[in-house]
Short mmCIF file of all heavy atoms in Angstrom, two decimals:
data_model
loop_
_atom_site.label_atom_id
_atom_site.label_comp_id
_atom_site.label_asym_id
_atom_site.label_seq_id
_atom_site.Cartn_x
_atom_site.Cartn_y
_atom_site.Cartn_z
N GLU Z 1 166.32 -180.88 -73.36
CA GLU Z 1 166.29 -181.41 -72.00
C GLU Z 1 167.31 -182.52 -71.83
O GLU Z 1 167.92 -182.67 -70.77
CB GLU Z 1 164.89 -181.91 -71.66
CG GLU Z 1 164.74 -182.43 -70.22
CD GLU Z 1 165.06 -181.38 -69.16
OE1 GLU Z 1 164.94 -180.16 -69.44
OE2 GLU Z 1 165.42 -181.78 -68.03
N THR Z 2 167.52 -183.31 -72.88
CA THR Z 2 168.53 -184.38 -72.83
C THR Z 2 169.92 -183.80 -72.58
O THR Z 2 170.68 -184.32 -71.77
CB THR Z 2 168.53 -185.17 -74.15
OG1 THR Z 2 167.25 -185.77 -74.33
CG2 THR Z 2 169.60 -186.26 -74.13
N HIS Z 3 170.24 -182.71 -73.25
CA HIS Z 3 171.55 -182.09 -73.08
C HIS Z 3 171.68 -181.41 -71.72
O HIS Z 3 172.74 -181.43 -71.10
CB HIS Z 3 171.81 -181.10 -74.21
CG HIS Z 3 172.00 -181.75 -75.54
ND1 HIS Z 3 172.15 -181.03 -76.71
CD2 HIS Z 3 172.06 -183.06 -75.90
CE1 HIS Z 3 172.30 -181.87 -77.72
NE2 HIS Z 3 172.25 -183.10 -77.25
N VAL Z 4 170.60 -180.82 -71.26
CA VAL Z 4 170.60 -180.19 -69.93
C VAL Z 4 170.87 -181.25 -68.86
O VAL Z 4 171.67 -181.04 -67.94
CB VAL Z 4 169.28 -179.46 -69.66
CG1 VAL Z 4 169.18 -179.02 -68.21
CG2 VAL Z 4 169.14 -178.26 -70.60
N GLN Z 5 170.24 -182.40 -68.98
CA GLN Z 5 170.45 -183.47 -68.01
C GLN Z 5 171.86 -184.05 -68.12
O GLN Z 5 172.44 -184.47 -67.11
CB GLN Z 5 169.40 -184.57 -68.20
CG GLN Z 5 168.00 -184.16 -67.79
CD GLN Z 5 167.94 -183.64 -66.36
OE1 GLN Z 5 168.42 -184.28 -65.43
NE2 GLN Z 5 167.33 -182.46 -66.19
N LEU Z 6 172.41 -184.06 -69.33
CA LEU Z 6 173.80 -184.51 -69.49
C LEU Z 6 174.76 -183.55 -68.80
O LEU Z 6 175.72 -183.98 -68.14
CB LEU Z 6 174.14 -184.63 -70.98
CG LEU Z 6 175.59 -185.05 -71.30
CD1 LEU Z 6 175.92 -186.41 -70.71
CD2 LEU Z 6 175.81 -185.05 -72.82
N SER Z 7 174.48 -182.26 -68.93
CA SER Z 7 175.30 -181.27 -68.24
C SER Z 7 175.27 -181.49 -66.73
O SER Z 7 176.29 -181.42 -66.04
CB SER Z 7 174.81 -179.86 -68.57
OG SER Z 7 175.58 -178.88 -67.90
N LYS Z 8 174.09 -181.78 -66.21
CA LYS Z 8 173.95 -182.07 -64.79
C LYS Z 8 174.72 -183.32 -64.39
O LYS Z 8 175.42 -183.36 -63.37
CB LYS Z 8 172.47 -182.23 -64.44
CG LYS Z 8 172.19 -182.50 -62.97
CD LYS Z 8 170.70 -182.74 -62.75
CE LYS Z 8 170.42 -183.16 -61.32
NZ LYS Z 8 169.16 -183.87 -61.18
N LYS Z 9 174.63 -184.36 -65.22
CA LYS Z 9 175.34 -185.61 -64.95
C LYS Z 9 176.85 -185.40 -64.89
O LYS Z 9 177.54 -185.92 -64.00
CB LYS Z 9 174.99 -186.63 -66.04
CG LYS Z 9 175.88 -187.87 -66.10
CD LYS Z 9 175.74 -188.76 -64.90
CE LYS Z 9 176.55 -190.05 -65.08
NZ LYS Z 9 176.52 -190.88 -63.85
N VAL Z 10 177.37 -184.62 -65.82
CA VAL Z 10 178.81 -184.33 -65.82
C VAL Z 10 179.20 -183.57 -64.57
O VAL Z 10 180.22 -183.87 -63.93
CB VAL Z 10 179.21 -183.55 -67.08
CG1 VAL Z 10 180.70 -183.18 -67.04
CG2 VAL Z 10 178.93 -184.37 -68.33
N ALA Z 11 178.40 -182.58 -64.21
CA ALA Z 11 178.71 -181.80 -63.00
C ALA Z 11 178.73 -182.68 -61.76
O ALA Z 11 179.63 -182.59 -60.92
CB ALA Z 11 177.70 -180.67 -62.84
N GLU Z 12 177.73 -183.55 -61.65
CA GLU Z 12 177.68 -184.48 -60.51
C GLU Z 12 178.92 -185.37 -60.48
O GLU Z 12 179.50 -185.61 -59.42
CB GLU Z 12 176.43 -185.34 -60.59
CG GLU Z 12 175.14 -184.58 -60.38
CD GLU Z 12 173.90 -185.39 -60.76
OE1 GLU Z 12 174.05 -186.45 -61.41
OE2 GLU Z 12 172.79 -184.96 -60.40
N SER Z 13 179.31 -185.86 -61.65
CA SER Z 13 180.44 -186.80 -61.73
C SER Z 13 181.78 -186.13 -61.53
O SER Z 13 182.79 -186.81 -61.29
CB SER Z 13 180.43 -187.51 -63.09
OG SER Z 13 179.24 -188.24 -63.27
N SER Z 14 181.80 -184.80 -61.64
CA SER Z 14 183.07 -184.08 -61.53
C SER Z 14 183.37 -183.57 -60.13
O SER Z 14 184.52 -183.22 -59.82
CB SER Z 14 183.06 -182.89 -62.50
OG SER Z 14 182.20 -181.86 -62.03
N ILE Z 15 182.36 -183.48 -59.28
CA ILE Z 15 182.54 -182.89 -57.95
C ILE Z 15 183.40 -183.81 -57.09
O ILE Z 15 183.15 -185.01 -56.99
CB ILE Z 15 181.18 -182.63 -57.29
CG1 ILE Z 15 180.43 -181.54 -58.06
CG2 ILE Z 15 181.34 -182.23 -55.83
CD1 ILE Z 15 178.99 -181.33 -57.63
N VAL Z 16 184.43 -183.23 -56.49
CA VAL Z 16 185.39 -183.99 -55.69
C VAL Z 16 185.15 -183.72 -54.21
O VAL Z 16 185.19 -182.57 -53.77
CB VAL Z 16 186.83 -183.64 -56.07
CG1 VAL Z 16 187.82 -184.52 -55.30
CG2 VAL Z 16 187.06 -183.77 -57.57
N LEU Z 17 184.92 -184.79 -53.47
CA LEU Z 17 184.79 -184.70 -52.01
C LEU Z 17 186.19 -184.75 -51.42
O LEU Z 17 186.86 -185.78 -51.47
CB LEU Z 17 183.93 -185.84 -51.48
CG LEU Z 17 183.73 -185.92 -49.96
CD1 LEU Z 17 183.04 -184.66 -49.43
CD2 LEU Z 17 182.94 -187.18 -49.59
N LEU Z 18 186.64 -183.63 -50.86
CA LEU Z 18 188.01 -183.53 -50.33
C LEU Z 18 188.08 -183.84 -48.84
O LEU Z 18 189.11 -184.30 -48.34
CB LEU Z 18 188.57 -182.12 -50.59
CG LEU Z 18 188.75 -181.74 -52.06
CD1 LEU Z 18 189.20 -180.28 -52.16
CD2 LEU Z 18 189.74 -182.66 -52.75
N LYS Z 19 187.00 -183.58 -48.13
CA LYS Z 19 186.99 -183.82 -46.68
C LYS Z 19 185.56 -184.14 -46.25
O LYS Z 19 184.61 -183.55 -46.77
CB LYS Z 19 187.50 -182.59 -45.92
CG LYS Z 19 187.53 -182.74 -44.41
CD LYS Z 19 188.09 -181.49 -43.73
CE LYS Z 19 188.14 -181.65 -42.22
NZ LYS Z 19 188.69 -180.44 -41.54
N ASN Z 20 185.43 -185.07 -45.31
CA ASN Z 20 184.10 -185.41 -44.79
C ASN Z 20 184.24 -185.91 -43.36
O ASN Z 20 184.04 -187.09 -43.06
CB ASN Z 20 183.44 -186.47 -45.68
CG ASN Z 20 181.95 -186.57 -45.44
OD1 ASN Z 20 181.34 -185.67 -44.88
ND2 ASN Z 20 181.36 -187.67 -45.88
N LYS Z 21 184.55 -184.99 -42.48
CA LYS Z 21 184.78 -185.31 -41.08
C LYS Z 21 183.53 -185.91 -40.44
O LYS Z 21 182.43 -185.35 -40.54
CB LYS Z 21 185.19 -184.04 -40.33
CG LYS Z 21 185.49 -184.24 -38.86
CD LYS Z 21 185.86 -182.91 -38.20
CE LYS Z 21 186.09 -183.08 -36.71
NZ LYS Z 21 186.38 -181.77 -36.06
N ASP Z 22 183.73 -187.03 -39.80
CA ASP Z 22 182.64 -187.72 -39.10
C ASP Z 22 181.43 -187.97 -39.99
O ASP Z 22 180.29 -188.04 -39.52
CB ASP Z 22 182.20 -186.90 -37.86
CG ASP Z 22 183.31 -186.74 -36.84
OD1 ASP Z 22 184.15 -187.66 -36.74
OD2 ASP Z 22 183.35 -185.70 -36.18
N HIS Z 23 181.69 -188.10 -41.29
CA HIS Z 23 180.63 -188.41 -42.26
C HIS Z 23 179.47 -187.41 -42.16
O HIS Z 23 178.29 -187.78 -42.18
CB HIS Z 23 180.13 -189.84 -42.07
CG HIS Z 23 181.21 -190.86 -42.17
ND1 HIS Z 23 181.81 -191.20 -43.37
CD2 HIS Z 23 181.82 -191.61 -41.22
CE1 HIS Z 23 182.74 -192.12 -43.15
NE2 HIS Z 23 182.77 -192.38 -41.86
N ILE Z 24 179.83 -186.13 -42.08
CA ILE Z 24 178.83 -185.06 -42.03
C ILE Z 24 177.94 -185.10 -43.27
O ILE Z 24 176.72 -184.90 -43.19
CB ILE Z 24 179.54 -183.70 -41.91
CG1 ILE Z 24 180.18 -183.55 -40.53
CG2 ILE Z 24 178.57 -182.56 -42.19
CD1 ILE Z 24 179.19 -183.55 -39.39
N LEU Z 25 178.56 -185.35 -44.41
CA LEU Z 25 177.80 -185.50 -45.66
C LEU Z 25 177.51 -186.97 -45.91
O LEU Z 25 178.34 -187.83 -45.59
CB LEU Z 25 178.59 -184.91 -46.84
CG LEU Z 25 178.88 -183.41 -46.79
CD1 LEU Z 25 179.64 -182.99 -48.05
CD2 LEU Z 25 177.60 -182.59 -46.66
N PRO Z 26 176.37 -187.29 -46.49
CA PRO Z 26 175.35 -186.36 -47.00
C PRO Z 26 174.48 -185.79 -45.89
O PRO Z 26 174.28 -186.42 -44.85
CB PRO Z 26 174.54 -187.24 -47.94
CG PRO Z 26 174.67 -188.62 -47.38
CD PRO Z 26 176.06 -188.70 -46.84
N LEU Z 27 173.98 -184.60 -46.14
CA LEU Z 27 173.09 -183.94 -45.20
C LEU Z 27 171.67 -184.50 -45.31
O LEU Z 27 171.24 -184.94 -46.37
CB LEU Z 27 173.03 -182.43 -45.50
CG LEU Z 27 174.34 -181.64 -45.39
CD1 LEU Z 27 174.12 -180.23 -45.90
CD2 LEU Z 27 174.85 -181.62 -43.95
N SER Z 28 170.97 -184.46 -44.21
CA SER Z 28 169.57 -184.86 -44.21
C SER Z 28 168.71 -183.72 -44.77
O SER Z 28 168.97 -182.54 -44.50
CB SER Z 28 169.12 -185.20 -42.79
OG SER Z 28 167.71 -185.33 -42.73
N LYS Z 29 167.68 -184.07 -45.50
CA LYS Z 29 166.75 -183.06 -46.00
C LYS Z 29 165.76 -182.63 -44.92
O LYS Z 29 164.93 -181.73 -45.15
CB LYS Z 29 166.00 -183.59 -47.21
CG LYS Z 29 166.87 -183.76 -48.44
CD LYS Z 29 166.09 -184.23 -49.65
CE LYS Z 29 167.00 -184.44 -50.84
NZ LYS Z 29 166.27 -184.92 -52.04
N ASP Z 30 165.87 -183.23 -43.73
CA ASP Z 30 165.01 -182.86 -42.62
C ASP Z 30 165.57 -181.71 -41.80
O ASP Z 30 165.09 -181.42 -40.71
CB ASP Z 30 164.78 -184.06 -41.70
CG ASP Z 30 163.95 -185.14 -42.37
OD1 ASP Z 30 163.15 -184.80 -43.26
OD2 ASP Z 30 164.13 -186.33 -42.02
N LEU Z 31 166.62 -181.06 -42.29
CA LEU Z 31 167.19 -179.92 -41.60
C LEU Z 31 166.12 -178.86 -41.34
O LEU Z 31 165.23 -178.63 -42.17
CB LEU Z 31 168.31 -179.30 -42.45
CG LEU Z 31 169.58 -180.14 -42.63
CD1 LEU Z 31 170.42 -179.55 -43.77
CD2 LEU Z 31 170.39 -180.16 -41.35
N GLN Z 32 166.22 -178.22 -40.20
CA GLN Z 32 165.25 -177.18 -39.86
C GLN Z 32 165.70 -175.80 -40.34
O GLN Z 32 164.93 -175.06 -40.94
CB GLN Z 32 165.04 -177.15 -38.33
CG GLN Z 32 164.43 -178.42 -37.76
CD GLN Z 32 163.01 -178.63 -38.23
OE1 GLN Z 32 162.18 -177.73 -38.20
NE2 GLN Z 32 162.73 -179.85 -38.68
N THR Z 33 166.98 -175.47 -40.09
CA THR Z 33 167.45 -174.10 -40.36
C THR Z 33 168.80 -174.11 -41.08
O THR Z 33 169.81 -173.66 -40.53
CB THR Z 33 167.57 -173.30 -39.05
OG1 THR Z 33 168.45 -174.03 -38.16
CG2 THR Z 33 166.23 -173.10 -38.40
N PRO Z 34 168.87 -174.62 -42.30
CA PRO Z 34 170.14 -174.56 -43.04
C PRO Z 34 170.43 -173.13 -43.50
O PRO Z 34 169.52 -172.34 -43.76
CB PRO Z 34 169.89 -175.48 -44.23
CG PRO Z 34 168.42 -175.43 -44.44
CD PRO Z 34 167.81 -175.28 -43.07
N TYR Z 35 171.71 -172.84 -43.61
CA TYR Z 35 172.15 -171.49 -43.97
C TYR Z 35 173.11 -171.59 -45.16
O TYR Z 35 174.09 -172.33 -45.11
CB TYR Z 35 172.85 -170.85 -42.77
CG TYR Z 35 173.42 -169.46 -42.99
CD1 TYR Z 35 172.79 -168.53 -43.80
CD2 TYR Z 35 174.60 -169.08 -42.33
CE1 TYR Z 35 173.31 -167.26 -43.97
CE2 TYR Z 35 175.13 -167.81 -42.48
CZ TYR Z 35 174.49 -166.90 -43.31
OH TYR Z 35 175.00 -165.63 -43.47
N VAL Z 36 172.80 -170.88 -46.22
CA VAL Z 36 173.66 -170.81 -47.40
C VAL Z 36 174.25 -169.42 -47.48
O VAL Z 36 173.52 -168.42 -47.41
CB VAL Z 36 172.88 -171.14 -48.69
CG1 VAL Z 36 173.79 -171.01 -49.91
CG2 VAL Z 36 172.31 -172.54 -48.61
N THR Z 37 175.56 -169.34 -47.65
CA THR Z 37 176.23 -168.05 -47.68
C THR Z 37 177.47 -168.13 -48.57
O THR Z 37 177.79 -169.18 -49.12
CB THR Z 37 176.61 -167.62 -46.24
OG1 THR Z 37 177.12 -166.28 -46.26
CG2 THR Z 37 177.64 -168.55 -45.62
N GLY Z 38 178.14 -167.02 -48.71
CA GLY Z 38 179.35 -166.98 -49.51
C GLY Z 38 179.18 -166.19 -50.80
O GLY Z 38 178.06 -166.05 -51.31
N PRO Z 39 180.28 -165.69 -51.36
CA PRO Z 39 180.19 -164.78 -52.50
C PRO Z 39 179.69 -165.41 -53.78
O PRO Z 39 179.26 -164.70 -54.70
CB PRO Z 39 181.65 -164.31 -52.67
CG PRO Z 39 182.47 -165.42 -52.09
CD PRO Z 39 181.66 -165.92 -50.93
N PHE Z 40 179.75 -166.75 -53.88
CA PHE Z 40 179.33 -167.41 -55.12
C PHE Z 40 178.12 -168.32 -54.92
O PHE Z 40 177.78 -169.11 -55.79
CB PHE Z 40 180.49 -168.20 -55.72
CG PHE Z 40 181.61 -167.32 -56.18
CD1 PHE Z 40 182.83 -167.32 -55.54
CD2 PHE Z 40 181.42 -166.46 -57.25
CE1 PHE Z 40 183.86 -166.49 -55.96
CE2 PHE Z 40 182.43 -165.62 -57.68
CZ PHE Z 40 183.66 -165.64 -57.04
N ALA Z 41 177.46 -168.19 -53.77
CA ALA Z 41 176.30 -169.03 -53.50
C ALA Z 41 175.16 -168.76 -54.48
O ALA Z 41 174.41 -169.66 -54.84
CB ALA Z 41 175.82 -168.82 -52.06
#
């Protein structure tokens, strides 16, 4: 579990935010109807 959490930590630290128009992110968890799509979702 320690290594699994380390893998997660690295992934979080590696993600690059390239665009954030009008501070859309972060999203609220109170969303009613979020949609996830795409070939690698």
Side-chain angles (χ1 to χ4, degrees):
E1 183 59 25
T2 299
H3 292 175
V4 170
Q5 290 306 309
L6 178 60
S7 179
K8 181 184 174 202
K9 166 67 174 174
V10 176
E12 291 168 348
S13 299
S14 72
I15 293 171
V16 184
L17 178 61
L18 296 175
K19 180 178 181 180
N20 197 17
K21 181 181 177 183
D22 298 329
H23 303 288
I24 290 297
L25 297 181
L27 298 173
S28 168
K29 291 183 182 179
D30 292 332
L31 292 165
Q32 297 293 313
T33 56
Y35 178 36
V36 178
T37 187
F40 294 112

